[in-house]
PDB file of all heavy atoms in Angstrom:
ATOM      1  N   GLN Y 119      -2.832  17.968   1.174  1.00 98.00           N
ATOM      2  CA  GLN Y 119      -1.997  19.190   1.051  1.00 98.00           C
ATOM      3  C   GLN Y 119      -1.935  19.967   2.386  1.00 98.00           C
ATOM      4  O   GLN Y 119      -0.877  20.423   2.829  1.00 98.00           O
ATOM      5  CB  GLN Y 119      -2.616  20.095  -0.003  1.00 98.00           C
ATOM      6  CG  GLN Y 119      -2.670  19.527  -1.377  1.00 98.00           C
ATOM      7  CD  GLN Y 119      -1.339  19.419  -2.133  1.00 98.00           C
ATOM      8  OE1 GLN Y 119      -0.349  20.038  -1.657  1.00 98.00           O
ATOM      9  NE2 GLN Y 119      -1.310  18.787  -3.253  1.00 98.00           N
ATOM     10  N   ILE Y 120      -3.101  20.054   3.081  1.00 98.00           N
ATOM     11  CA  ILE Y 120      -3.107  20.771   4.336  1.00 98.00           C
ATOM     12  C   ILE Y 120      -2.420  19.963   5.408  1.00 98.00           C
ATOM     13  O   ILE Y 120      -1.706  20.478   6.296  1.00 98.00           O
ATOM     14  CB  ILE Y 120      -4.552  21.109   4.770  1.00 98.00           C
ATOM     15  CG1 ILE Y 120      -5.167  22.114   3.762  1.00 98.00           C
ATOM     16  CG2 ILE Y 120      -4.602  21.700   6.182  1.00 98.00           C
ATOM     17  CD1 ILE Y 120      -4.396  23.415   3.615  1.00 98.00           C
ATOM     18  N   ALA Y 121      -2.589  18.635   5.360  1.00 98.00           N
ATOM     19  CA  ALA Y 121      -1.888  17.743   6.280  1.00 98.00           C
ATOM     20  C   ALA Y 121      -0.400  17.917   6.177  1.00 98.00           C
ATOM     21  O   ALA Y 121       0.365  17.949   7.177  1.00 98.00           O
ATOM     22  CB  ALA Y 121      -2.281  16.290   6.032  1.00 98.00           C
ATOM     23  N   HIS Y 122       0.107  18.018   4.954  1.00 98.00           N
ATOM     24  CA  HIS Y 122       1.551  18.186   4.721  1.00 98.00           C
ATOM     25  C   HIS Y 122       2.033  19.533   5.320  1.00 98.00           C
ATOM     26  O   HIS Y 122       3.072  19.581   5.977  1.00 98.00           O
ATOM     27  CB  HIS Y 122       1.880  18.124   3.250  1.00 98.00           C
ATOM     28  CG  HIS Y 122       3.317  18.459   2.943  1.00 98.00           C
ATOM     29  ND1 HIS Y 122       4.360  17.618   3.296  1.00 98.00           N
ATOM     30  CD2 HIS Y 122       3.856  19.523   2.331  1.00 98.00           C
ATOM     31  CE1 HIS Y 122       5.503  18.150   2.965  1.00 98.00           C
ATOM     32  NE2 HIS Y 122       5.255  19.326   2.380  1.00 98.00           N
ATOM     33  N   LEU Y 123       1.298  20.614   5.085  1.00 98.00           N
ATOM     34  CA  LEU Y 123       1.674  21.926   5.645  1.00 98.00           C
ATOM     35  C   LEU Y 123       1.649  21.850   7.142  1.00 98.00           C
ATOM     36  O   LEU Y 123       2.527  22.402   7.793  1.00 98.00           O
ATOM     37  CB  LEU Y 123       0.744  22.992   5.117  1.00 98.00           C
ATOM     38  CG  LEU Y 123       0.869  23.318   3.622  1.00 98.00           C
ATOM     39  CD1 LEU Y 123      -0.163  24.358   3.196  1.00 98.00           C
ATOM     40  CD2 LEU Y 123       2.304  23.818   3.271  1.00 98.00           C
ATOM     41  N   SER Y 124       0.636  21.218   7.751  1.00 98.00           N
ATOM     42  CA  SER Y 124       0.541  21.080   9.171  1.00 98.00           C
ATOM     43  C   SER Y 124       1.741  20.286   9.742  1.00 98.00           C
ATOM     44  O   SER Y 124       2.368  20.729  10.693  1.00 98.00           O
ATOM     45  CB  SER Y 124      -0.770  20.392   9.538  1.00 98.00           C
ATOM     46  OG  SER Y 124      -0.811  20.231  10.918  1.00 98.00           O
ATOM     47  N   TRP Y 125       1.999  19.192   9.137  1.00 98.00           N
ATOM     48  CA  TRP Y 125       3.154  18.367   9.574  1.00 98.00           C
ATOM     49  C   TRP Y 125       4.504  19.172   9.443  1.00 98.00           C
ATOM     50  O   TRP Y 125       5.318  19.075  10.399  1.00 98.00           O
ATOM     51  CB  TRP Y 125       3.227  17.065   8.734  1.00 98.00           C
ATOM     52  CG  TRP Y 125       4.434  16.293   9.007  1.00 98.00           C
ATOM     53  CD1 TRP Y 125       4.710  15.432  10.018  1.00 98.00           C
ATOM     54  CD2 TRP Y 125       5.640  16.220   8.140  1.00 98.00           C
ATOM     55  NE1 TRP Y 125       5.950  14.918   9.883  1.00 98.00           N
ATOM     56  CE2 TRP Y 125       6.521  15.309   8.723  1.00 98.00           C
ATOM     57  CE3 TRP Y 125       5.970  16.852   6.945  1.00 98.00           C
ATOM     58  CZ2 TRP Y 125       7.787  15.049   8.204  1.00 98.00           C
ATOM     59  CZ3 TRP Y 125       7.218  16.552   6.385  1.00 98.00           C
ATOM     60  CH2 TRP Y 125       8.112  15.676   7.013  1.00 98.00           C
ATOM     61  N   THR Y 126       4.705  19.829   8.365  1.00 97.00           N
ATOM     62  CA  THR Y 126       5.961  20.525   8.157  1.00 97.00           C
ATOM     63  C   THR Y 126       6.075  21.697   9.144  1.00 97.00           C
ATOM     64  O   THR Y 126       7.195  21.896   9.696  1.00 97.00           O
ATOM     65  CB  THR Y 126       6.101  21.027   6.724  1.00 97.00           C
ATOM     66  OG1 THR Y 126       5.714  20.079   5.814  1.00 97.00           O
ATOM     67  CG2 THR Y 126       7.530  21.418   6.438  1.00 97.00           C
ATOM     68  N   ASP Y 127       5.004  22.346   9.442  1.00 98.00           N
ATOM     69  CA  ASP Y 127       5.056  23.450  10.478  1.00 98.00           C
ATOM     70  C   ASP Y 127       5.444  22.841  11.840  1.00 98.00           C
ATOM     71  O   ASP Y 127       6.249  23.389  12.556  1.00 98.00           O
ATOM     72  CB  ASP Y 127       3.714  24.120  10.618  1.00 98.00           C
ATOM     73  CG  ASP Y 127       3.463  25.063   9.455  1.00 98.00           C
ATOM     74  OD1 ASP Y 127       4.381  25.471   8.735  1.00 98.00           O
ATOM     75  OD2 ASP Y 127       2.234  25.463   9.278  1.00 98.00           O
ATOM     76  N   GLU Y 128       4.859  21.670  12.146  1.00 98.00           N
ATOM     77  CA  GLU Y 128       5.125  21.030  13.409  1.00 98.00           C
ATOM     78  C   GLU Y 128       6.597  20.556  13.484  1.00 98.00           C
ATOM     79  O   GLU Y 128       7.273  20.637  14.546  1.00 98.00           O
ATOM     80  CB  GLU Y 128       4.195  19.856  13.652  1.00 98.00           C
ATOM     81  CG  GLU Y 128       2.757  20.324  13.862  1.00 98.00           C
ATOM     82  CD  GLU Y 128       1.751  19.181  13.888  1.00 98.00           C
ATOM     83  OE1 GLU Y 128       2.149  17.986  13.956  1.00 98.00           O
ATOM     84  OE2 GLU Y 128       0.567  19.464  13.823  1.00 98.00           O
ATOM     85  N   VAL Y 129       7.127  20.042  12.376  1.00 97.00           N
ATOM     86  CA  VAL Y 129       8.520  19.589  12.394  1.00 97.00           C
ATOM     87  C   VAL Y 129       9.449  20.797  12.510  1.00 97.00           C
ATOM     88  O   VAL Y 129      10.446  20.732  13.204  1.00 97.00           O
ATOM     89  CB  VAL Y 129       8.820  18.782  11.113  1.00 97.00           C
ATOM     90  CG1 VAL Y 129      10.308  18.485  10.935  1.00 97.00           C
ATOM     91  CG2 VAL Y 129       8.020  17.461  11.079  1.00 97.00           C
ATOM     92  N   LEU Y 162      -1.917  11.779   8.982  1.00 98.00           N
ATOM     93  CA  LEU Y 162      -2.721  12.826   9.487  1.00 98.00           C
ATOM     94  C   LEU Y 162      -4.108  12.833   8.817  1.00 98.00           C
ATOM     95  O   LEU Y 162      -5.135  13.108   9.515  1.00 98.00           O
ATOM     96  CB  LEU Y 162      -2.038  14.218   9.189  1.00 98.00           C
ATOM     97  CG  LEU Y 162      -0.863  14.546  10.108  1.00 98.00           C
ATOM     98  CD1 LEU Y 162      -0.267  15.891   9.725  1.00 98.00           C
ATOM     99  CD2 LEU Y 162      -1.301  14.550  11.591  1.00 98.00           C
ATOM    100  N   LEU Y 171      -8.350  18.623  11.199  1.00 98.00           N
ATOM    101  CA  LEU Y 171      -7.119  18.850  10.464  1.00 98.00           C
ATOM    102  C   LEU Y 171      -6.901  20.346  10.281  1.00 98.00           C
ATOM    103  O   LEU Y 171      -5.771  20.881  10.475  1.00 98.00           O
ATOM    104  CB  LEU Y 171      -7.198  18.135   9.117  1.00 98.00           C
ATOM    105  CG  LEU Y 171      -5.906  18.173   8.264  1.00 98.00           C
ATOM    106  CD1 LEU Y 171      -4.672  17.615   9.005  1.00 98.00           C
ATOM    107  CD2 LEU Y 171      -6.155  17.454   6.978  1.00 98.00           C
ATOM    108  N   ARG Y 174      -5.819  21.820  13.528  1.00 98.00           N
ATOM    109  CA  ARG Y 174      -4.404  21.426  13.807  1.00 98.00           C
ATOM    110  C   ARG Y 174      -3.445  22.336  13.047  1.00 98.00           C
ATOM    111  O   ARG Y 174      -2.432  22.766  13.592  1.00 98.00           O
ATOM    112  CB  ARG Y 174      -4.186  19.982  13.545  1.00 98.00           C
ATOM    113  CG  ARG Y 174      -2.776  19.453  13.818  1.00 98.00           C
ATOM    114  CD  ARG Y 174      -2.677  18.012  13.771  1.00 98.00           C
ATOM    115  NE  ARG Y 174      -1.322  17.552  14.050  1.00 98.00           N
ATOM    116  CZ  ARG Y 174      -1.028  16.375  14.616  1.00 98.00           C
ATOM    117  NH1 ARG Y 174      -2.030  15.513  14.923  1.00 98.00           N
ATOM    118  NH2 ARG Y 174       0.255  16.039  14.841  1.00 98.00           N
ATOM    119  N   TRP Y 175      -3.746  22.501  11.753  1.00 98.00           N
ATOM    120  CA  TRP Y 175      -2.867  23.399  10.944  1.00 98.00           C
ATOM    121  C   TRP Y 175      -2.809  24.790  11.504  1.00 98.00           C
ATOM    122  O   TRP Y 175      -1.750  25.410  11.601  1.00 98.00           O
ATOM    123  CB  TRP Y 175      -3.379  23.398   9.509  1.00 98.00           C
ATOM    124  CG  TRP Y 175      -2.605  24.284   8.572  1.00 98.00           C
ATOM    125  CD1 TRP Y 175      -1.265  24.397   8.457  1.00 98.00           C
ATOM    126  CD2 TRP Y 175      -3.177  25.206   7.630  1.00 98.00           C
ATOM    127  NE1 TRP Y 175      -0.935  25.333   7.510  1.00 98.00           N
ATOM    128  CE2 TRP Y 175      -2.093  25.821   6.965  1.00 98.00           C
ATOM    129  CE3 TRP Y 175      -4.442  25.524   7.299  1.00 98.00           C
ATOM    130  CZ2 TRP Y 175      -2.277  26.795   6.013  1.00 98.00           C
ATOM    131  CZ3 TRP Y 175      -4.649  26.468   6.317  1.00 98.00           C
ATOM    132  CH2 TRP Y 175      -3.586  27.124   5.652  1.00 98.00           C
ATOM    133  N   ARG Y 176      -4.006  25.307  11.852  1.00 98.00           N
ATOM    134  CA  ARG Y 176      -4.074  26.688  12.465  1.00 98.00           C
ATOM    135  C   ARG Y 176      -3.278  26.776  13.746  1.00 98.00           C
ATOM    136  O   ARG Y 176      -2.475  27.740  13.891  1.00 98.00           O
ATOM    137  CB  ARG Y 176      -5.552  27.060  12.654  1.00 98.00           C
ATOM    138  CG  ARG Y 176      -6.329  27.334  11.371  1.00 98.00           C
ATOM    139  CD  ARG Y 176      -7.820  27.457  11.705  1.00 98.00           C
ATOM    140  NE  ARG Y 176      -8.583  27.919  10.468  1.00 98.00           N
ATOM    141  CZ  ARG Y 176      -9.850  27.899  10.421  1.00 98.00           C
ATOM    142  NH1 ARG Y 176     -10.594  27.491  11.422  1.00 98.00           N
ATOM    143  NH2 ARG Y 176     -10.442  28.285   9.267  1.00 98.00           N
ATOM    144  N   GLY Y 178      -0.781  24.872  14.798  1.00 98.00           N
ATOM    145  CA  GLY Y 178       0.666  24.650  14.523  1.00 98.00           C
ATOM    146  C   GLY Y 178       1.320  25.868  13.955  1.00 98.00           C
ATOM    147  O   GLY Y 178       2.431  26.223  14.362  1.00 98.00           O
ATOM    148  N   ARG Y 179       0.686  26.442  13.023  1.00 98.00           N
ATOM    149  CA  ARG Y 179       1.310  27.607  12.347  1.00 98.00           C
ATOM    150  C   ARG Y 179       1.359  28.823  13.294  1.00 98.00           C
ATOM    151  O   ARG Y 179       2.264  29.669  13.202  1.00 98.00           O
ATOM    152  CB  ARG Y 179       0.679  27.926  11.012  1.00 98.00           C
ATOM    153  CG  ARG Y 179      -0.634  28.545  11.066  1.00 98.00           C
ATOM    154  CD  ARG Y 179      -1.184  28.789   9.614  1.00 98.00           C
ATOM    155  NE  ARG Y 179      -2.228  29.746   9.527  1.00 98.00           N
ATOM    156  CZ  ARG Y 179      -3.483  29.495   9.175  1.00 98.00           C
ATOM    157  NH1 ARG Y 179      -3.874  28.291   8.941  1.00 98.00           N
ATOM    158  NH2 ARG Y 179      -4.372  30.461   9.112  1.00 98.00           N
ATOM    159  N   ARG Y 211       9.040  28.179   4.638  1.00 98.00           N
ATOM    160  CA  ARG Y 211       7.628  27.872   4.944  1.00 98.00           C
ATOM    161  C   ARG Y 211       6.688  28.640   4.064  1.00 98.00           C
ATOM    162  O   ARG Y 211       5.627  28.109   3.641  1.00 98.00           O
ATOM    163  CB  ARG Y 211       7.331  28.173   6.443  1.00 98.00           C
ATOM    164  CG  ARG Y 211       8.129  27.477   7.469  1.00 98.00           C
ATOM    165  CD  ARG Y 211       8.075  25.880   7.315  1.00 98.00           C
ATOM    166  NE  ARG Y 211       6.739  25.433   7.185  1.00 98.00           N
ATOM    167  CZ  ARG Y 211       6.275  24.700   6.137  1.00 98.00           C
ATOM    168  NH1 ARG Y 211       7.037  24.371   5.108  1.00 98.00           N
ATOM    169  NH2 ARG Y 211       5.030  24.305   6.123  1.00 98.00           N
TER     170      ARG Y 211
END
Side-chain angles (χ1 to χ4, degrees):
Q119 300 285 351
I120 296 301
H122 174 69
L123 291 176
S124 177
W125 171 78
T126 316
D127 284 343
E128 291 171 13
V129 172
L162 286 178
L171 184 58
R174 180 168 179 152
W175 177 47
R176 287 170 173 169
R179 72 182 201 247
R211 298 305 310 125

